[in-house]
Protein backbone atom coordinates (compact mmCIF):
# COMPACT_ATOMS: atom_id res chain seq x y z
CA UNK A 1 0.00 0.00 0.00
CA UNK A 2 1.04 3.62 -0.59
CA UNK A 3 1.38 5.78 2.54
CA UNK A 4 0.45 9.48 2.61
CA UNK A 5 3.99 10.66 1.94
CA UNK A 6 4.30 8.40 -1.09
CA UNK A 7 0.97 9.62 -2.46
CA UNK A 8 2.06 13.27 -2.14
CA UNK A 9 5.42 12.49 -3.75
CA UNK A 10 3.67 10.76 -6.64
CA UNK A 11 1.32 13.72 -7.17
CA UNK A 12 4.31 16.05 -7.27
CA UNK A 13 6.12 13.78 -9.75
CA UNK A 14 3.09 13.75 -12.05
CA UNK A 15 2.38 17.49 -11.89
CA UNK A 16 5.91 18.88 -12.06
CA UNK A 17 8.28 16.17 -13.29
CA UNK A 18 6.53 14.41 -16.21
CA UNK A 19 5.97 11.09 -14.42
CA UNK A 20 3.71 8.82 -16.43
CA UNK A 21 2.95 5.22 -17.15
CA UNK A 22 4.26 5.12 -20.68
CA UNK A 23 2.25 2.07 -21.71
CA UNK A 24 -0.14 -0.61 -20.58
CA UNK A 25 0.38 -3.44 -23.07
CA UNK A 26 -1.85 -6.50 -23.31
CA UNK A 27 -0.07 -9.56 -24.63
CA UNK A 28 -2.37 -11.96 -26.49
CA UNK A 29 -1.54 -15.45 -27.74
CA UNK A 30 -2.86 -16.00 -31.25
CA UNK A 31 -2.16 -19.72 -31.38
CA UNK A 32 -5.85 -20.59 -30.96
CA UNK A 33 -6.60 -18.52 -34.08
CA UNK A 34 -4.86 -20.64 -36.71
CA UNK A 35 -7.43 -21.84 -39.22
CA UNK A 36 -7.42 -23.84 -42.40
CA UNK A 37 -6.95 -20.83 -44.67
CA UNK A 38 -5.38 -17.40 -44.47
CA UNK A 39 -8.81 -15.79 -44.76
CA UNK A 40 -10.24 -17.86 -41.90
CA UNK A 41 -7.18 -17.23 -39.74
CA UNK A 42 -7.36 -13.47 -40.37
CA UNK A 43 -11.01 -13.41 -39.29
CA UNK A 44 -10.19 -15.45 -36.20
CA UNK A 45 -7.34 -13.08 -35.32
CA UNK A 46 -9.55 -10.00 -35.64
CA UNK A 47 -12.39 -11.48 -33.61
CA UNK A 48 -10.11 -12.86 -30.90
CA UNK A 49 -8.22 -9.62 -30.32
CA UNK A 50 -11.43 -7.58 -30.29
CA UNK A 51 -12.85 -9.90 -27.65
CA UNK A 52 -9.75 -10.04 -25.45
CA UNK A 53 -8.88 -6.34 -25.62
CA UNK A 54 -12.32 -4.75 -25.86
CA UNK A 55 -11.97 -3.08 -22.44
CA UNK A 56 -8.29 -2.15 -22.41
CA UNK A 57 -8.80 1.51 -23.29
CA UNK A 58 -11.66 2.05 -20.83
CA UNK A 59 -9.86 0.27 -18.00
CA UNK A 60 -6.64 2.21 -18.45
CA UNK A 61 -8.49 5.51 -18.68
CA UNK A 62 -10.41 4.64 -15.50
CA UNK A 63 -7.18 3.79 -13.69
CA UNK A 64 -5.55 7.00 -14.85
CA UNK A 65 -8.41 9.04 -13.40
CA UNK A 66 -8.65 7.07 -10.17
CA UNK A 67 -4.94 7.19 -9.34
CA UNK A 68 -4.09 10.51 -10.96
CA UNK A 69 -1.26 9.06 -13.03
CA UNK A 70 -1.21 9.68 -16.79
CA UNK A 71 -1.19 6.52 -18.90
CA UNK A 72 0.14 7.65 -22.25
CA UNK A 73 -0.32 4.60 -24.47
CA UNK A 74 -2.53 1.54 -24.66
CA UNK A 75 -1.04 -1.23 -26.75
CA UNK A 76 -1.36 -4.88 -27.72
CA UNK A 77 1.36 -7.40 -28.46
CA UNK A 78 0.70 -10.73 -30.14
CA UNK A 79 2.38 -14.03 -30.92
CA UNK A 80 5.05 -13.56 -33.63
CA UNK A 81 2.90 -13.48 -36.75
CA UNK A 82 5.32 -15.54 -38.84
CA UNK A 83 4.25 -18.54 -36.75
CA UNK A 84 0.56 -17.87 -37.40
CA UNK A 85 1.25 -17.29 -41.10
CA UNK A 86 3.50 -20.31 -41.66
CA UNK A 87 0.92 -22.42 -43.56
CA UNK A 88 0.13 -19.55 -45.96
CA UNK A 89 3.13 -17.21 -45.92
CA UNK A 90 2.28 -15.70 -49.29
CA UNK A 91 -0.89 -14.27 -47.74
CA UNK A 92 0.75 -12.90 -44.58
CA UNK A 93 -0.55 -9.44 -45.49
CA UNK A 94 -4.07 -10.61 -44.62
CA UNK A 95 -3.00 -11.27 -41.04
CA UNK A 96 -1.24 -7.90 -40.93
CA UNK A 97 -4.39 -6.12 -42.02
CA UNK A 98 -6.50 -8.04 -39.50
CA UNK A 99 -4.12 -7.02 -36.71
CA UNK A 100 -4.25 -3.37 -37.74
CA UNK A 101 -8.04 -3.42 -38.06
CA UNK A 102 -8.39 -4.97 -34.61
CA UNK A 103 -6.14 -2.29 -33.12
CA UNK A 104 -8.32 0.41 -34.64
CA UNK A 105 -11.52 -1.24 -33.42
CA UNK A 106 -10.45 -1.53 -29.78
CA UNK A 107 -8.77 1.89 -29.90
CA UNK A 108 -5.18 1.08 -28.92
CA UNK A 109 -2.29 3.22 -30.14
CA UNK A 110 -0.16 0.40 -31.55
CA UNK A 111 -0.17 -3.36 -31.98
CA UNK A 112 3.13 -5.22 -32.11
CA UNK A 113 4.02 -8.70 -33.21
CA UNK A 114 4.25 -8.70 -37.00
CA UNK A 115 7.47 -10.45 -36.15
CA UNK A 116 9.78 -13.34 -36.93
CA UNK A 117 12.49 -15.06 -34.90
CA UNK A 118 15.28 -16.04 -37.28
CA UNK A 119 18.35 -15.82 -35.06
CA UNK A 120 19.63 -19.29 -35.99
CA UNK A 121 18.08 -19.88 -39.40
CA UNK A 122 15.45 -18.59 -41.78
CA UNK A 123 12.95 -21.03 -43.23
CA UNK A 124 11.38 -20.38 -46.62
CA UNK A 125 8.07 -19.37 -45.04
CA UNK A 126 9.89 -16.91 -42.76
CA UNK A 127 11.71 -15.33 -45.69
CA UNK A 128 8.41 -14.94 -47.52
CA UNK A 129 6.81 -13.49 -44.41
CA UNK A 130 9.64 -10.97 -43.98
CA UNK A 131 9.34 -9.98 -47.65
CA UNK A 132 5.80 -8.76 -46.89
CA UNK A 133 6.93 -6.23 -44.27
CA UNK A 134 7.47 -3.17 -46.53
CA UNK A 135 4.05 -3.50 -48.13
CA UNK A 136 2.28 -4.27 -44.86
CA UNK A 137 3.85 -1.41 -42.91
CA UNK A 138 3.14 1.02 -45.72
CA UNK A 139 -0.56 0.12 -45.84
CA UNK A 140 -1.35 -0.11 -42.12
CA UNK A 141 -1.41 2.58 -39.43
CA UNK A 142 -0.87 0.98 -36.03
CA UNK A 143 0.95 -2.26 -36.81
CA UNK A 144 4.57 -2.67 -35.71
CA UNK A 145 7.12 -5.25 -36.80
CA UNK A 146 10.28 -6.77 -35.33
CA UNK A 147 12.80 -9.38 -36.42
CA UNK A 148 15.24 -11.17 -34.13
CA UNK A 149 18.46 -11.92 -36.04
CA UNK A 150 20.81 -13.05 -33.28
CA UNK A 151 21.25 -14.31 -29.75
CA UNK A 152 24.02 -15.06 -27.29
CA UNK A 153 23.22 -18.76 -27.57
CA UNK A 154 22.99 -19.10 -31.34
CA UNK A 155 25.18 -16.34 -32.80
CA UNK A 156 24.14 -13.89 -35.52
CA UNK A 157 22.29 -14.97 -38.65
CA UNK A 158 24.09 -12.80 -41.18
CA UNK A 159 21.80 -13.92 -44.00
CA UNK A 160 18.92 -12.40 -42.05
CA UNK A 161 21.01 -9.30 -41.28
CA UNK A 162 21.72 -8.82 -44.99
CA UNK A 163 18.06 -9.29 -45.84
CA UNK A 164 16.89 -6.81 -43.22
CA UNK A 165 19.11 -4.09 -44.68
CA UNK A 166 17.21 -4.54 -47.94
CA UNK A 167 13.83 -4.70 -46.18
CA UNK A 168 14.49 -1.46 -44.31
CA UNK A 169 15.42 0.30 -47.55
CA UNK A 170 12.27 -0.99 -49.23
CA UNK A 171 10.12 0.09 -46.28
CA UNK A 172 11.59 3.59 -46.42
CA UNK A 173 10.83 3.86 -50.13
CA UNK A 174 7.29 2.56 -49.66
CA UNK A 175 6.67 5.30 -47.08
CA UNK A 176 8.75 8.04 -48.72
CA UNK A 177 5.89 10.54 -48.59
CA UNK A 178 6.05 10.47 -44.79
CA UNK A 179 9.84 10.58 -44.49
CA UNK A 180 10.26 6.81 -44.33
CA UNK A 181 7.85 6.54 -41.41
CA UNK A 182 7.37 2.80 -41.95
CA UNK A 183 10.89 2.26 -40.63
CA UNK A 184 9.86 3.84 -37.32
CA UNK A 185 7.59 0.82 -36.85
CA UNK A 186 10.31 -1.75 -37.61
CA UNK A 187 12.99 -3.02 -35.21
CA UNK A 188 15.81 -5.53 -35.73
CA UNK A 189 16.85 -7.31 -32.51
CA UNK A 190 19.52 -9.47 -31.00
CA UNK A 191 18.36 -11.29 -27.86
CA UNK A 192 14.75 -10.07 -28.19
CA UNK A 193 12.70 -10.59 -25.03
CA UNK A 194 9.20 -12.06 -24.92
CA UNK A 195 7.61 -9.60 -22.49
CA UNK A 196 8.68 -6.18 -23.81
CA UNK A 197 5.75 -3.72 -23.55
CA UNK A 198 7.39 -1.01 -25.68
CA UNK A 199 6.88 -0.49 -29.40
CA UNK A 200 7.91 -1.06 -32.02
CA UNK A 201 9.57 -4.23 -30.72
CA UNK A 202 6.86 -5.79 -28.58
CA UNK A 203 5.64 -9.31 -29.28
CA UNK A 204 3.97 -11.93 -27.11
CA UNK A 205 6.35 -14.81 -26.57
CA UNK A 206 5.20 -18.39 -27.05
CA UNK A 207 6.28 -19.12 -23.48
CA UNK A 208 3.84 -16.57 -22.09
CA UNK A 209 0.32 -17.19 -20.79
CA UNK A 210 -2.72 -16.64 -23.00
CA UNK A 211 -3.40 -13.03 -21.95
CA UNK A 212 -0.92 -10.94 -19.97
CA UNK A 213 -0.61 -7.31 -18.87
CA UNK A 214 2.85 -5.76 -19.07
CA UNK A 215 3.42 -2.16 -18.01
CA UNK A 216 6.20 0.20 -19.03
CA UNK A 217 6.89 3.03 -16.60
CA UNK A 218 8.80 6.17 -17.36
CA UNK A 219 10.13 9.19 -15.57
CA UNK A 220 13.30 10.83 -16.92
CA UNK A 221 12.06 14.16 -15.57
CA UNK A 222 11.66 12.71 -12.08
CA UNK A 223 15.23 11.39 -12.09
CA UNK A 224 16.57 14.68 -13.46
CA UNK A 225 14.78 16.65 -10.73
CA UNK A 226 16.20 14.34 -8.04
CA UNK A 227 19.75 14.90 -9.33
CA UNK A 228 19.21 18.67 -9.54
CA UNK A 229 18.41 18.68 -5.82
CA UNK A 230 21.91 17.45 -4.89
CA UNK A 231 24.27 19.48 -7.11
CA UNK A 232 27.40 18.80 -5.04
CA UNK A 233 26.85 15.08 -4.40
CA UNK A 234 29.54 12.58 -5.28
CA UNK A 235 28.76 9.75 -7.66
CA UNK A 236 28.05 7.22 -4.90
CA UNK A 237 25.40 9.48 -3.39
CA UNK A 238 24.09 10.24 -6.88
CA UNK A 239 23.62 6.54 -7.57
CA UNK A 240 21.75 6.10 -4.28
CA UNK A 241 19.43 8.96 -5.15
CA UNK A 242 18.68 7.48 -8.56
CA UNK A 243 17.97 4.09 -6.94
CA UNK A 244 15.49 5.60 -4.49
CA UNK A 245 13.81 7.56 -7.26
CA UNK A 246 13.52 4.48 -9.49
CA UNK A 247 11.93 2.63 -6.58
CA UNK A 248 9.19 5.27 -6.31
CA UNK A 249 8.56 5.30 -10.06
CA UNK A 250 8.33 1.52 -10.19
CA UNK A 251 5.90 1.42 -7.26
CA UNK A 252 3.47 3.43 -9.35
CA UNK A 253 3.90 1.00 -12.24
CA UNK A 254 3.41 -2.01 -10.00
CA UNK A 255 0.13 -0.59 -8.70
CA UNK A 256 -1.25 0.13 -12.17
CA UNK A 257 -0.09 -3.21 -13.60
CA UNK A 258 -1.64 -5.31 -10.88
CA UNK A 259 -4.95 -3.47 -10.98
CA UNK A 260 -5.15 -3.43 -14.78
CA UNK A 261 -4.54 -7.19 -14.91
CA UNK A 262 -7.28 -7.79 -12.36
CA UNK A 263 -9.85 -5.68 -14.20
CA UNK A 264 -8.97 -7.10 -17.61
CA UNK A 265 -9.09 -10.72 -16.44
CA UNK A 266 -5.47 -11.24 -17.46
CA UNK A 267 -2.28 -12.29 -15.73
CA UNK A 268 0.04 -9.63 -14.35
CA UNK A 269 3.21 -10.07 -16.39
CA UNK A 270 6.00 -7.59 -15.67
CA UNK A 271 6.87 -3.98 -14.99
CA UNK A 272 9.47 -2.62 -17.39
CA UNK A 273 11.61 -0.05 -15.58
CA UNK A 274 12.85 1.74 -18.67
CA UNK A 275 13.31 5.50 -18.62
CA UNK A 276 11.59 6.33 -21.90
CA UNK A 277 11.96 9.96 -22.98
CA UNK A 278 9.65 12.13 -25.05
CA UNK A 279 10.43 15.17 -27.22
CA UNK A 280 9.10 17.41 -24.42
CA UNK A 281 11.67 19.48 -22.59
CA UNK A 282 12.08 18.19 -19.03
CA UNK A 283 11.48 14.57 -20.08
CA UNK A 284 14.90 13.70 -21.46
CA UNK A 285 17.48 11.01 -20.68
CA UNK A 286 20.11 13.27 -22.27
CA UNK A 287 19.23 15.98 -19.73
CA UNK A 288 19.85 13.49 -16.89
CA UNK A 289 23.33 12.75 -18.22
CA UNK A 290 24.06 16.46 -18.55
CA UNK A 291 22.79 17.10 -15.02
CA UNK A 292 25.29 14.48 -13.86
CA UNK A 293 28.05 16.79 -15.07
CA UNK A 294 28.41 16.61 -18.85
CA UNK A 295 28.38 19.81 -20.86
CA UNK A 296 26.66 17.89 -23.63
CA UNK A 297 25.53 14.33 -24.12
CA UNK A 298 27.95 12.67 -26.51
CA UNK A 299 31.09 14.14 -25.00
CA UNK A 300 33.68 12.02 -23.22
CA UNK A 301 32.21 10.48 -20.08
CA UNK A 302 28.76 9.94 -21.61
CA UNK A 303 29.05 6.15 -21.65
CA UNK A 304 30.19 6.06 -18.01
CA UNK A 305 27.31 8.28 -16.89
CA UNK A 306 24.81 6.17 -18.82
CA UNK A 307 26.20 2.96 -17.35
CA UNK A 308 25.75 4.27 -13.82
CA UNK A 309 22.26 5.58 -14.57
CA UNK A 310 21.13 2.30 -16.10
CA UNK A 311 22.49 0.22 -13.24
CA UNK A 312 20.98 2.45 -10.55
CA UNK A 313 17.57 2.39 -12.24
CA UNK A 314 17.62 -1.41 -12.31
CA UNK A 315 18.75 -1.72 -8.67
CA UNK A 316 16.05 0.62 -7.44
CA UNK A 317 13.32 -0.86 -9.59
CA UNK A 318 13.81 -4.50 -8.71
CA UNK A 319 13.16 -3.70 -5.05
CA UNK A 320 9.78 -2.19 -5.89
CA UNK A 321 8.32 -5.01 -7.98
CA UNK A 322 8.51 -8.76 -7.78
CA UNK A 323 8.03 -8.99 -11.54
CA UNK A 324 10.55 -6.83 -13.36
CA UNK A 325 11.13 -7.68 -17.00
CA UNK A 326 11.02 -6.34 -20.51
CA UNK A 327 14.07 -4.21 -21.26
CA UNK A 328 14.35 -2.17 -18.03
CA UNK A 329 16.93 0.59 -18.07
CA UNK A 330 17.34 3.77 -20.13
CA UNK A 331 16.26 4.31 -23.73
CA UNK A 332 18.27 6.63 -25.97
CA UNK A 333 16.04 7.18 -29.04
CA UNK A 334 17.43 10.18 -30.88
CA UNK A 335 14.20 11.53 -32.37
CA UNK A 336 12.23 11.07 -29.14
CA UNK A 337 14.58 12.93 -26.77
CA UNK A 338 15.00 16.69 -27.11
CA UNK A 339 18.49 16.55 -25.55
CA UNK A 340 19.62 13.86 -28.00
CA UNK A 341 18.12 15.81 -30.92
CA UNK A 342 19.98 18.98 -29.99
CA UNK A 343 23.27 17.16 -29.38
CA UNK A 344 22.98 15.49 -32.78
CA UNK A 345 22.28 18.86 -34.40
CA UNK A 346 25.39 20.31 -32.73
CA UNK A 347 27.46 17.38 -33.95
CA UNK A 348 28.36 16.35 -30.40
CA UNK A 349 26.47 13.09 -30.74
CA UNK A 350 27.16 10.76 -33.66
CA UNK A 351 26.35 7.16 -34.51
CA UNK A 352 29.72 5.89 -33.32
CA UNK A 353 29.18 7.38 -29.85
CA UNK A 354 25.62 6.12 -29.76
CA UNK A 355 26.91 2.63 -30.56
CA UNK A 356 29.28 2.80 -27.59
CA UNK A 357 26.43 3.96 -25.36
CA UNK A 358 24.28 1.02 -26.40
CA UNK A 359 26.71 -1.36 -24.74
CA UNK A 360 25.49 -0.12 -21.35
CA UNK A 361 21.86 0.95 -21.86
CA UNK A 362 18.54 -0.76 -22.47
CA UNK A 363 18.40 -1.38 -26.17
CA UNK A 364 20.38 0.09 -29.04
CA UNK A 365 20.46 2.48 -31.97
CA UNK A 366 16.92 3.76 -31.77
CA UNK A 367 15.02 6.19 -34.01
CA UNK A 368 18.08 7.33 -35.93
CA UNK A 369 17.61 8.96 -39.32
CA UNK A 370 20.37 8.62 -41.93
CA UNK A 371 20.67 9.81 -45.54
CA UNK A 372 18.22 8.24 -47.93
CA UNK A 373 21.00 7.06 -50.26
CA UNK A 374 22.66 4.97 -47.52
CA UNK A 375 23.32 1.55 -49.08
CA UNK A 376 21.42 -1.45 -47.76
CA UNK A 377 24.76 -3.11 -47.01
CA UNK A 378 25.71 -0.21 -44.70
CA UNK A 379 22.41 -0.54 -42.85
CA UNK A 380 23.06 -4.29 -42.52
CA UNK A 381 26.54 -3.57 -41.17
CA UNK A 382 25.10 -1.20 -38.56
CA UNK A 383 22.67 -3.96 -37.54
CA UNK A 384 25.55 -6.45 -37.37
CA UNK A 385 27.56 -4.16 -35.07
CA UNK A 386 24.64 -3.78 -32.68
CA UNK A 387 23.87 -7.49 -32.76
CA UNK A 388 27.50 -8.22 -31.92
CA UNK A 389 27.31 -5.99 -28.84
CA UNK A 390 24.18 -7.82 -27.72
CA UNK A 391 25.54 -11.27 -28.45
CA UNK A 392 28.87 -10.80 -26.68
CA UNK A 393 27.41 -8.95 -23.68
CA UNK A 394 24.38 -11.24 -23.32
CA UNK A 395 21.97 -8.31 -23.50
CA UNK A 396 19.21 -7.10 -25.78
CA UNK A 397 20.30 -4.75 -28.53
CA UNK A 398 18.31 -3.42 -31.46
CA UNK A 399 18.35 -1.11 -34.43
CA UNK A 400 15.49 1.16 -35.50
CA UNK A 401 16.96 3.21 -38.32
CA UNK A 402 15.29 5.38 -40.95
CA UNK A 403 17.09 5.92 -44.28
CA UNK A 404 14.95 8.97 -45.03
CA UNK A 405 14.25 9.15 -48.77
CA UNK A 406 15.69 12.21 -50.55
CA UNK A 407 17.19 13.51 -47.30
CA UNK A 408 20.84 14.31 -46.66
CA UNK A 409 22.98 15.30 -43.68
CA UNK A 410 21.75 18.66 -42.40
CA UNK A 411 18.10 17.89 -43.16
CA UNK A 412 15.60 16.45 -40.70
CA UNK A 413 12.44 14.37 -40.69
CA UNK A 414 9.51 15.10 -38.41
CA UNK A 415 7.21 12.26 -37.38
CA UNK A 416 5.25 14.21 -34.77
CA UNK A 417 3.91 13.15 -31.38
CA UNK A 418 6.03 10.85 -29.25
CA UNK A 419 8.17 9.91 -32.26
CA UNK A 420 9.46 13.48 -32.54
CA UNK A 421 11.89 14.76 -35.14
CA UNK A 422 15.22 13.38 -36.24
CA UNK A 423 18.21 15.22 -37.68
CA UNK A 424 19.82 13.27 -40.53
CA UNK A 425 23.02 11.81 -39.09
CA UNK A 426 26.08 10.92 -41.19
CA UNK A 427 27.24 7.34 -41.71
CA UNK A 428 30.69 6.18 -42.78
CA UNK A 429 31.13 6.29 -46.54
CA UNK A 430 33.50 3.33 -46.71
CA UNK A 431 31.78 0.17 -47.92
CA UNK A 432 30.93 -2.90 -45.83
CA UNK A 433 29.33 -4.65 -48.80
CA UNK A 434 31.84 -7.47 -49.17
CA UNK A 435 31.56 -8.36 -45.46
CA UNK A 436 27.76 -8.40 -45.60
CA UNK A 437 27.71 -10.41 -48.84
CA UNK A 438 29.58 -13.29 -47.19
CA UNK A 439 26.41 -14.34 -45.35
CA UNK A 440 26.39 -17.38 -43.09
CA UNK A 441 26.39 -17.39 -39.30
CA UNK A 442 28.65 -15.52 -36.90
CA UNK A 443 29.16 -18.27 -34.32
CA UNK A 444 27.97 -17.84 -30.75
CA UNK A 445 30.66 -16.77 -28.27
CA UNK A 446 32.34 -19.33 -26.05
CA UNK A 447 30.38 -18.22 -22.98
CA UNK A 448 27.22 -19.49 -24.67
CA UNK A 449 28.28 -23.04 -23.83
CA UNK A 450 27.02 -23.04 -20.25
CA UNK A 451 25.13 -26.31 -19.99
Amino acid sequence: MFNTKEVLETINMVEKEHLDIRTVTMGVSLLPCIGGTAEKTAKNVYDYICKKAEKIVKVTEDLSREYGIPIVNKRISVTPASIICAPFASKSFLIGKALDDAAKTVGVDFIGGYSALVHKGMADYEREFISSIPEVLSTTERLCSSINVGSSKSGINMDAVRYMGEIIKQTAQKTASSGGFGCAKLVVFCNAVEDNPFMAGAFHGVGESGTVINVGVSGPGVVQHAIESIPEANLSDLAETIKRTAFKITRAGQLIAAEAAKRLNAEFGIVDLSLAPTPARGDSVAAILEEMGLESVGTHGTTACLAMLNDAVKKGGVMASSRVGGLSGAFIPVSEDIGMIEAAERGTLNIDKLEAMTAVCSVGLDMIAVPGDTPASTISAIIADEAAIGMINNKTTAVRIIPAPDKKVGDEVNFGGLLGRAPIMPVHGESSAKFIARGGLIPAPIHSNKN
Side-chain angles (χ1 to χ4, degrees), residues 17 25 34 39 114 128 161 166 209 212 225 240 304-305 341 357 415:
E17 300 165 12
T25 300
I34 300 175
E39 291 77 8
Y114 200 76
E128 190 158 15
V161 168
E166 298 167 1
S209 296
V212 175
H225 181 81
E240 287 300 313
C305 286
I341 293 168
M357 293 164 68
F415 300 120

Side-chain angles (χ1 to χ4, degrees), residues 89-313:
S90 65
K91 294 186 176 181
S92 298
F93 65 92
L94 292 176
I95 309 304
K97 185 177 187 308
L99 291 168
D100 194 59
D101 288 345
K104 292 175 187 176
T105 297
V106 301
V108 295
D109 301 281
F110 289 107
I111 185 166
Y114 200 76
S115 306
L117 311 178
V118 293
H119 41 280
K120 197 170 184 180
M122 186 164 47
D124 290 344
Y125 73 84
E126 289 167 326
R127 175 176 284 275
E128 190 158 15
F129 171 85
I130 292 171
S131 72
S132 73
I133 289 174
E135 182 66 27
V136 168
L137 291 186
S138 68
T139 55
T140 55
E141 297 177 16
R142 308 184 191 197
L143 183 64
C144 295
S145 178
S146 60
I147 307 295
N148 193 60
V149 299
S151 76
S152 297
K153 274 289 191 181
S154 66
I156 302 171
N157 182 349
M158 289 301 292
D159 293 322
V161 168
R162 178 174 59 186
Y163 196 31
M164 286 312 300
E166 298 167 1
I167 292 295
I168 289 169
K169 287 283 288 185
Q170 292 172 25
T171 304
Q173 288 300 324
K174 287 276 189 183
T175 55
S177 62
S178 56
F181 176 69
C183 296
K185 301 187 292 176
L186 175 58
V187 185
V188 183
F189 276 114
C190 178
N191 289 322
V193 297
E194 297 189 335
D195 55 5
N196 166 27
F198 287 100
M199 299 296 168
F203 64 87
H204 186 70
V206 294
E208 298 283 319
S209 296
T211 311
V212 175
I213 295 296
N214 297 320
V215 165
V217 298
S218 189
V222 181
V223 175
Q224 180 186 350
H225 181 81
I227 296 173
E228 287 173 350
S229 68
I230 48 171
E232 304 302 321
N234 64 33
L235 293 176
S236 298
D237 292 339
L238 207 62
E240 287 300 313
T241 297
I242 295 170
K243 282 164 57 178
R244 289 195 296 270
T245 304
F247 178 90
K248 296 172 186 176
I249 294 170
T250 307
R251 288 273 281 174
Q254 170 85 10
L255 176 68
I256 295 296
E259 191 60 30
K262 179 181 176 182
R263 297 187 189 187
L264 290 167
N265 194 30
E267 284 197 22
F268 167 26
I270 56 91
V271 177
D272 187 314
L273 313 176
S274 298
L275 296 178
T278 71
R281 201 165 296 279
D283 199 26
S284 162
V285 170
I288 297 173
L289 303 179
E290 290 169 355
E291 194 61 43
M292 291 169 73
L294 304 176
E295 184 175 350
S296 171
V297 66
T299 193
H300 305 296
T302 298
T303 306
C305 286
L306 183 58
M308 193 187 86
L309 171 65
N310 207 51
D311 182 65
V313 166

Side-chain angles (χ1 to χ4, degrees), residues 352-406:
D352 290 340
K353 185 59 179 178
L354 282 163
E355 182 183 309
M357 293 164 68
T358 64
V360 299
C361 74
S362 276
V363 193
L365 296 171
D366 196 16
M367 288 302 291
I368 293 171
V370 297
D373 61 359
T374 302
S377 59
T378 297
I379 294 172
S380 294
I382 291 170
I383 293 169
D385 283 342
E386 272 304 297
I389 289 173
M391 176 184 70
I392 295 296
N393 291 288
N394 199 29
K395 71 184 293 292
T396 302
T397 51
V399 172
R400 185 162 48 147
I401 190 168
I402 300 102
D406 303 320

